[in-house]
């Protein structure tokens, strides 16, 4: 009993340390992305208008949009990494079960000896093992992990074993089949992302090209575009800015393929 309590205390301490470091890492990453977006928007606004108050307004108005986009990107990346690590976990779990281990011992074996392979999912595996130590059933432990993680693969697997275990299905073959299906899904998603990356990068390059040309001409021949920053030339720059924003919005909508 003392050994179990000592192990759980170490487990709880490691989870606290992990979550604290994870929070700091996420906060720093979010801050860096936000600063880069604000600096880019300030550069574009200053290049287009050369007015400091317009630059400040663009930076302030862009903060909510930047925060939404960055949060969405980080959540999508986290969910994708969770799905990949969960498929790896299922492969190892099926191997341990085929060797004659129980689900609880198999999870403990994976948690203890494979920490470096689970950069995102490790804390959830630790918590799931702790729930099993507190006499939670296998289905309840997986259901709790699926609730905490925003990953559809975990929810599907949790629903499968909640019906499979009471009915006496071969759990080893079921887990192998599900992990193989996840691998096929990840390979398909990787192929689709590779196909979509080219038009996405082309769209970004085309959006950056006008601003880059303006910066280059301002350095080579500033008098050539000086009329655009005075009088009616500012109206033309406003129209150009609106066209660029519309092109960016349409490009994101076209490349944002749901699959």
């Amino acid at each position: 009993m003392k050994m179990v309590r000592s192990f759980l205390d170490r487990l709880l301490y490691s989870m606290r340390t992990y979550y604290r470091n994870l929070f700091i890492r996420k906060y720093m990453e979010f801050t860096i992305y936000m600063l880069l977006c604000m600096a880019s928007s300030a550069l574009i606004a200053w290049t287009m208008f050369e007015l400091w108050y317009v630059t400040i307004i663009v930076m302030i108005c862009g903060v909510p949009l930047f925060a939404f986009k960055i949060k969405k990107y980080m959540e999508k990346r986290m969910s994708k990494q969770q799905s990949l690590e969960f498929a790896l976990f299922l492969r190892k779990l099926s191997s341990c079960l085929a060797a004659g281990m129980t689900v609880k011992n198999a999870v403990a074996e994976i948690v203890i000896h494979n920490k470096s392979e689970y950069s995102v999912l490790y804390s959830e595996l630790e918590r799931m093992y702790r729930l099993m130590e507190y006499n939670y059933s296998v289905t309840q432990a997986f259901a709790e992990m699926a609730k905490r993680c925003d990953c559809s693969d975990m929810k599907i697997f949790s629903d499968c074993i909640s019906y499979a275990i009471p009915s006496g299905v071969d759990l080893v073959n079921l887990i192998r089949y599900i992990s193989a299906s996840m691998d096929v899904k990840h390979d398909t998603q990787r192929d689709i992302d590779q196909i979509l990356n080219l038009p996405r990068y082309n769209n970004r390059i085309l959006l950056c090209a006008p601003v880059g040309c303006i910066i280059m001409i301002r350095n080579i021949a500033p008098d050539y575009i000086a009329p655009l920053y005075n009088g009616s030339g500012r109206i033309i720059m406003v129209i150009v800015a609106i066209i660029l924003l519309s092109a960016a919005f349409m490009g994101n909508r076209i490349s944002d393929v749901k699959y």
Side-chain angles (χ1 to χ4, degrees):
M1 188 66 182
K2 291 182 179 181
M3 293 178 63
V4 175
R5 185 174 298 175
S6 176
F7 174 77
L8 292 177
D9 290 339
R10 292 197 303 270
L11 191 61
L12 183 61
Y13 175 77
S14 64
M15 287 181 64
R16 289 175 178 173
T17 305
Y18 175 84
Y19 275 114
R20 183 172 61 251
N21 296 334
L22 183 63
F23 174 78
I24 294 173
R25 186 167 65 248
K26 285 184 177 180
Y27 179 78
M28 291 181 62
E29 187 178 9
F30 181 86
T31 304
I32 292 172
Y33 283 144
M34 179 62 72
L35 291 176
L36 289 175
C37 291
M38 292 178 66
S40 301
S41 63
L43 176 63
I44 294 173
W46 180 258
T47 302
M48 299 291 292
F49 302 104
E50 276 192 350
L51 296 173
W52 63 269
Y53 56 87
V54 174
T55 303
I56 294 176
I57 291 173
V58 170
M59 289 176 60
I60 295 175
C61 294
V63 167
L65 177 63
F66 298 151
F68 173 76
K69 289 291 186 179
I70 293 170
K71 183 180 178 182
K72 184 178 179 181
Y73 165 74
M74 294 179 67
E75 289 178 351
K76 183 178 180 181
R77 187 183 62 180
M78 176 70 72
S79 178
K80 186 176 181 180
Q81 185 64 26
Q82 285 179 346
S83 180
L84 291 172
E85 293 184 2
F86 187 67
L88 176 62
F89 166 73
L90 291 183
R91 289 197 297 270
K92 292 185 178 296
L93 181 63
S94 64
S95 299
C96 293
L97 294 178
M101 301 175 65
T102 62
V103 176
K104 178 181 175 181
N105 293 335
V107 173
E109 182 73 17
I110 295 171
V111 168
I112 295 172
H113 298 289
N114 298 276
K115 181 177 180 179
S116 60
E117 298 180 3
Y118 303 98
S119 58
V120 175
L121 202 61
Y122 181 74
S123 61
E124 297 298 334
L125 296 178
E126 282 185 325
R127 180 176 292 183
M128 183 175 64
Y129 176 72
R130 189 172 56 159
L131 291 177
M132 292 181 183
E133 285 287 338
Y134 290 150
N135 295 325
Y136 275 66
S137 65
V138 175
T139 56
Q140 289 175 333
F142 275 100
E144 290 295 327
M145 185 174 69
K147 289 179 182 178
R148 291 190 301 270
C149 299
D150 187 17
C151 181
S152 59
D153 293 339
M154 295 183 187
K155 296 176 183 178
I156 293 173
F157 179 78
S158 176
D159 294 337
C160 288
I161 63 172
S162 65
Y163 292 103
I165 292 179
S167 60
V169 174
D170 187 359
L171 193 60
V172 177
N173 291 329
L174 176 64
I175 294 176
R176 285 179 178 173
Y177 177 78
I178 294 176
S179 63
S181 301
M182 289 182 183
D183 291 337
V184 173
K185 173 189 172 183
H186 295 151
D187 293 338
T188 305
Q189 288 179 343
R190 193 178 298 110
D191 293 338
I192 294 174
D193 289 337
Q194 289 177 355
I195 295 172
L196 295 177
N197 281 337
L198 181 60
R200 287 172 182 169
Y201 291 142
N202 290 339
N203 179 47
R204 293 169 186 172
I205 292 172
L206 291 174
L207 291 175
C208 294
V211 179
C213 291
I214 293 174
I215 294 174
M216 182 182 65
I217 295 173
R218 285 181 59 183
N219 292 325
I220 296 175
D223 295 336
Y224 186 77
I225 59 173
L228 294 175
Y229 296 97
N230 296 293
S232 60
R234 294 196 178 277
I235 299 176
I236 297 175
M237 295 301 284
V238 171
I239 296 174
V240 171
I242 294 174
I243 293 174
L244 288 177
L245 291 175
S246 301
F249 175 76
M250 292 177 63
N252 288 330
R253 294 286 295 179
I254 292 172
S255 61
D256 188 14
V257 178
K258 304 296 183 181
Y259 55 89

